[in-house]
């Protein structure tokens, strides 16, 4: 068995249960620490994972090599800077930051520190999308011809039965949050045949 990368997670929010399940499916990762300002969140962690209520203290733990940052959107930039200052690789939940200047600043710091900074785009790697892309490249394009156009409809996942879920409040606007996933899906599709974007309409 190859060497595992020791991972820590900052933020144990409403998506943490999905993140923790996903981490079990990734070979080569071992979750060794987690941090949240609410100590009651520690019960959600697997046995053996050390809990902290302060990011600075957690980053002082020997052995952490990479950090998954899953704090509320408005805290992404400040926490990501702390992680990069500590010299750790980072997987940052979308949206990476609230502004382009903050985004550029994080990548500049990552380059200076020699660390890896990766932004998580969930929808771009959805199983149905990856299945379609693989099937298209393997056979569909030869049976049906190249893609000439496509139409996508994206709906905010925080709407349930017409109601905004409480956990979705103050996420910073649809195009900063969920819209990033939509754009990542479009990016996957236009890459298969070097399609050009002719028209984009963004609505509130």
């Amino acid at each position: 068995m190859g060497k595992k990368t020791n991972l820590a997670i900052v933020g144990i929010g409403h998506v943490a249960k999905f993140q923790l399940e996903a981490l079990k499916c990734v070979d080569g990762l071992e979750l060794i620490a987690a941090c949240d300002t609410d100590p009651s969140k520690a019960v959600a962690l697997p046995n053996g994972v050390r809990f902290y209520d302060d990011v600075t203290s957690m980053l002082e733990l020997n052995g952490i090599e990479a950090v998954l940052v899953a704090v509320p959107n408005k805290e992404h930039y400040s926490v990501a800077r702390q992680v990069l200052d500590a010299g750790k690789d980072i997987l940052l939940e979308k949206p990476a930051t609230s502004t382009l200047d903050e985004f550029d600043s994080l990548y500049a710091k990552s380059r200076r520190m020699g660390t890896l900074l990766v932004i998580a785009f969930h929808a771009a790697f959805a199983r149905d999308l990856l299945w379609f892309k693989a099937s298209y490249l393997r056979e569909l394009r030869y049976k049906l011809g190249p893609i000439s156009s496509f139409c996508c409809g994206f709906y905010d996942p925080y709407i349930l039965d017409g109601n905004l879920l409480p956990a979705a409040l103050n996420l910073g606007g649809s195009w900063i949050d969920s819209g990033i996933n939509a754009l990542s899906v479009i990016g996957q599709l236009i890459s298969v045949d070097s399609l050009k974007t002719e028209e984009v309409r963004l609505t509130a």
Side-chain angles (χ1 to χ4, degrees):
M1 179 180 292
K3 178 183 178 297
K4 288 191 174 184
T5 298
N6 290 331
L7 179 73
I9 181 171
V10 181
I12 310 174
H14 66 283
V15 297
K17 63 180 180 181
F18 303 106
Q19 295 166 331
L20 294 172
E21 284 300 313
L23 290 175
K24 295 177 185 177
C25 302
V26 180
D27 292 332
L29 287 180
E30 183 170 359
L31 184 65
I32 65 169
C35 176
D36 197 282
T37 55
D38 181 358
S40 69
K41 300 290 183 65
V43 299
L45 299 172
N47 291 334
V49 176
R50 297 183 65 170
F51 178 82
Y52 296 82
D53 60 8
D54 174 72
V55 177
T56 301
S57 298
M58 187 197 74
L59 291 173
E60 292 174 352
L61 176 65
N62 288 331
I64 294 176
E65 299 169 271
V67 179
L68 165 58
V69 175
V71 295
N73 295 347
K74 63 183 180 181
E75 299 172 25
H76 280 189
Y77 177 69
S78 60
V79 174
R81 281 189 65 89
Q82 281 186 268
V83 174
L84 292 173
D85 282 337
K88 312 299 183 185
D89 293 332
I90 181 171
L91 175 61
L92 181 59
E93 278 277 8
K94 62 83 188 168
T97 60
S98 299
T99 70
L100 184 57
D101 285 342
E102 289 178 344
F103 182 82
D104 290 339
S105 173
L106 288 184
Y107 267 102
K109 178 174 282 292
S110 175
R111 287 191 295 270
R112 289 196 303 271
M113 299 296 293
T115 56
L116 183 65
L117 170 60
V118 177
I119 313 303
F121 295 109
H122 313 142
F125 299 97
R127 291 181 181 180
D128 52 352
L129 180 62
L130 295 180
W131 169 85
F132 171 78
K133 188 173 180 180
S135 298
Y136 175 76
L137 293 174
R138 186 173 60 248
E139 57 183 323
L140 291 181
R141 74 193 317 179
Y142 304 109
K143 292 181 179 179
L144 303 177
I147 295 174
S148 58
S149 65
F150 62 89
C151 179
C152 296
F154 297 95
Y155 304 92
D156 198 313
Y158 305 113
I159 301 294
L160 183 65
D161 297 327
N163 298 311
L164 180 68
L165 299 182
L169 297 178
N170 299 320
L171 287 177
S174 62
W175 280 108
I176 289 178
D177 187 52
S178 298
I180 297 295
N181 261 334
L183 294 174
S184 71
V185 169
I186 293 171
Q188 284 274 36
L189 291 174
I190 65 176
S191 69
V192 295
D193 268 323
S194 300
L195 295 177
K196 295 180 179 179
T197 304
E198 293 185 353
E199 182 181 13
V200 176
R201 297 182 184 183
L202 307 181
T203 59

